[in-house]
Amino acid sequence: MSFVETLRDRGPVRPEIAEVRERLLHGLLLLFTVLGSAPFLVGVHMTLRAGELLFTLLYAGLFLSILACTLLRRHIPYTPRGVVVLIAGMGIGAVTLFQMGLAGIGIELVTVFSVFAAILFGLRGGLALVVLSVLAISAAGFAHVSGLVTPPPSALASSLDGLAWLNAGLVFIMLALGMIFSSEILRGRLEVALNTETQKTDALLVANLALREAERATGESERRFRELAELLPESVFETDLQARLTFANQAAFTTFGYEPEDLERGLTALDMLDPGEHPRAMDQIQLALGGEGLELREYLARHKDGTTFPVLIRSAPIVAEGRPVGLRGFIIDISEKKQAEARFHAAQRMEAVGTLAGGIAHDFNNLLMGIQGRASLLERGEGLSEDQRRHLASIEAHVESAAGLTRQLLGLARGGKYETRATDLNALLERTLDLFGRTHKNLELELDLAAAIWSVEVDRTQLEQVFLNLLLNAAQAMPGGGRVSLTTRNLRLEAQQARDLGLGAGPHVEVMLRDTGPGMDEAIRERIFEPFFTTKGPGLGTGLGLASAYGIVNNHGGSIEVESTPGEGSTFRILLPAREGHAPEPGPRSADELPRGDEALLLVDDEQLILSSTTPLLKVLGYEVTCARGGLEAIEIPEQSPGKFALVILDMVMPEVNGAATFERIQRLPDPPRVLLSSGYSSEGAAAELLAKGCAGFLQKPYRVQQLAGKLREILDAKEGA
């Protein structure tokens, strides 16, 4: 700081300087009060003895003023008290100058109090007192030199010398100004030091506030992270460098079965993985702690009870002050995803097998149709012996048995339903269980059927086959006897439940079949619905029963699942879409009748075997029959003979022009005949579309002459009635 800057007005006094001044002033007042009492009494005594009453009053007034300022410190402001001290000191100094001249301590007193003035009131106060002191010295000197005041004899010589007074005044000015400026420089330096310390203190305060704010922000961020982590449905975790878990959200505790106390006992990330995963997990942890963010990886996790399940894990290092201090990540339980994938792959396999099975069943049904047709013709011939009729009945029985096998194959095929009707499952189950129970007396059969069961749209024959297959499977699992229970209930699936099962939301009927057999392990349970898979010995099973049950249920838009534990039996759960409301019970089967007719029919099929076996049957029934080998002929013949044919028996699967395209061309005729679809496939898929477009009916191959005769009259009579 320069000398000029020292002399500048510094503005308001800093609180620290003001406090120092206050303490100094109070100290001076106490000093003058305590130590000044003796000089005061001596001075009063001397002035009274000398008859100088004015000086006596002056001494008394100054002392009493100092005493008042000391005692009334808290009631008298700083400035009046300071002025009193300075006036007292300057007054004593001036009186001493006038009394003693240069021989006394007057010069020293005015010098000291000029310095006090600078300390108490700053540079300007000190300079003001210097001016007053110079005036006092000049006045005292003039009084002594001119003889206005007679000094004591000891001070007479020096007091009458004007040069001595001039010298004393110059020395006073030099000393006073020197001490004043020195004190001011010290004050300035002190202020600079205080300012510097204040700035440092302020900087520390700012830094402290910033640190507190950072800590608060960090705490707020941590709180938000915790709250967000608790909202997530997946597991969120944090670990230290030793892989000990330091945080886990509630979803993690729920998923893995642990409690917060386990965390406090030192639970590690490896405790939550299958032991076989530990080496790979440790490698990944080291990579993460090295600064690498890890992608999603699949692991086999472990519940607290030891059971395992598949998960996806992703983690990243927690970095503090530029170095990793732990890991943070999340865990996704993919058990349901894996199960869904398994169901999807199983469905794909079943679809592939079903496609193959459907093709085989179609061709086989055509062969059976040829055999059935020939047998029906021979059966209605005359002159047959009893042995011949018995052989024909046996042929038809074998055809029916083979047709049952194709029904199982078609059960595997996509869209394997034949003829669906609103059905009361309770009645169907009662009839099926009654039929089954007649031949399995060693089993205890229980029914627990819900009242007012909802209606299901199913192929009754195929559903009977499903339940018979399940019952037979249970019986074969319990050759020594056991208990089989069947229960039904109405069930409304919510959206999420339906998605988990791969079904549509809404009303369903649930059928549960439980047995008390030996149960199955996981390996067998996973393959139980695979075609041709069986645990039975040679000649005891084909492996198609449960596979066809799976296909039939799925073809009806439902689901079938199995739960089983070795030693605890098995439970099959079937869900079928339903409509609220009760369905009529299945009516009795119609008796064999052969209604006849005389209408002209067009028989369309690409298989000569079908044409050659079905044409005679139709003629036996009285109909006029024209054959068409394929779709092209089927289109040309009605166009050439408009209005001739009352009905077309149309095959679905044909080369060049299939049944669907043929039907559409026939519908364009001016007076189109009715169309009866006939196929070795089922009534689903393209056939169902044609039925919806106006096709008159569907007949599944192989059919007996009674079925053919009844279906023809049903369609033709309905047309006449219309």
Side-chain angles (χ1 to χ4, degrees), residues 620-652:
V620 166
L621 295 174
Y623 296 104
E624 179 186 345
V625 184
T626 302
C627 294
R629 294 198 59 180
L632 289 176
E633 290 186 17
I635 295 168
E636 293 174 355
I637 292 174
E639 288 178 344
Q640 295 171 358
S641 304
K644 175 181 177 180
F645 299 101
L647 185 140
V648 177
I649 302 174
L650 179 63
D651 186 28
M652 279 298 300

Side-chain angles (χ1 to χ4, degrees), residues 342-500:
R343 287 196 296 266
F344 174 72
H345 292 313
Q348 283 186 316
R349 291 195 300 270
M350 292 297 294
E351 185 172 355
V353 172
T355 301
L356 175 62
I360 294 173
H362 171 266
D363 292 343
F364 194 49
N365 277 339
N366 280 337
L367 291 173
L368 292 176
M369 186 65 244
I371 297 171
Q372 177 66 60
R374 297 294 181 180
S376 295
L377 284 173
L378 290 174
E379 188 180 19
R380 276 154 183 76
E382 297 181 359
L384 295 176
S385 67
E386 286 299 320
D387 285 343
Q388 289 172 330
R389 292 188 182 279
R390 193 164 50 251
H391 287 315
L392 288 173
S394 178
I395 290 172
E396 288 187 332
H398 287 310
V399 169
E400 181 64 27
S401 177
L405 178 60
T406 61
R407 281 195 294 271
Q408 285 192 328
L409 288 173
L410 279 174
L412 301 177
R414 185 178 181 181
K417 291 180 297 205
Y418 297 164
E419 182 180 358
T420 60
R421 288 181 290 171
T423 301
D424 181 342
L425 272 185
N426 284 352
L428 187 116
L429 286 170
E430 286 176 340
R431 188 173 68 248
T432 303
L433 202 63
D434 179 64
L435 176 65
F436 175 78
R438 293 175 188 175
T439 56
H440 294 82
K441 303 294 186 180
N442 63 325
L443 295 179
E444 180 184 350
L445 304 177
E446 296 180 353
L447 272 178
D448 182 12
L449 305 179
I453 200 73
W454 290 335
S455 171
V456 291
E457 194 77 17
V458 297
D459 184 299
R460 294 177 179 177
T461 301
Q462 285 209 332
L463 258 293
E464 285 178 352
Q465 178 185 329
V466 168
F467 297 127
L468 279 173
N469 286 344
L470 294 178
L471 289 167
L472 286 171
N473 183 74
Q476 291 170 352
M478 300 182 293
R483 185 174 66 256
V484 178
S485 61
L486 273 168
T487 62
T488 62
R489 65 166 177 158
N490 296 325
L491 182 65
R492 184 177 299 278
L493 293 182
E494 302 299 332
Q496 185 58 50
Q497 291 176 294
R499 281 195 295 271
D500 292 342

Side-chain angles (χ1 to χ4, degrees), residues 474 477-479 481-484 514-520 564-570:
M478 300 182 293
R483 185 174 66 256
V484 178
R514 299 180 179 88
D515 66 55
T516 57
M520 297 173 278
S564 185
T565 302
E568 298 182 10
S570 302

Side-chain angles (χ1 to χ4, degrees), residues 663 667 673-677 687-697:
F663 172 75
Q667 290 297 97
R674 307 297 296 275
V675 176
L676 169 63
L677 295 178
E689 294 179 7
L690 295 185
L691 289 170
K693 291 180 179 179
C695 212

Side-chain angles (χ1 to χ4, degrees), residues 317-330:
I318 302 173
V319 179
E321 298 180 357
R323 59 186 182 86
V325 296
L327 289 177
R328 176 184 292 132
F330 61 87

Side-chain angles (χ1 to χ4, degrees), residues 168-185:
L170 293 175
V171 170
F172 160 75
I173 293 173
M174 178 187 67
L175 293 175
L177 290 179
M179 287 188 289
I180 288 172
F181 283 123
S182 296
S183 68
E184 186 62 21
I185 290 172

Side-chain angles (χ1 to χ4, degrees), residues 245-289:
L245 289 167
T246 57
F247 168 76
N249 65 347
Q250 186 57 48
F253 290 119
T254 302
T255 300
F256 286 86
Y258 287 100
E259 301 293 337
E261 293 76 15
D262 296 311
L263 215 66
E264 298 171 2
R265 286 193 288 266
L267 184 68
T268 71
L270 295 180
D271 294 330
M272 303 171 76
L273 295 177
D274 184 75
E277 299 282 20
H278 289 181
R280 185 163 68 101
M282 286 302 300
D283 291 341
Q284 294 298 308
I285 288 172
Q286 293 304 317
L287 289 174
L289 292 177

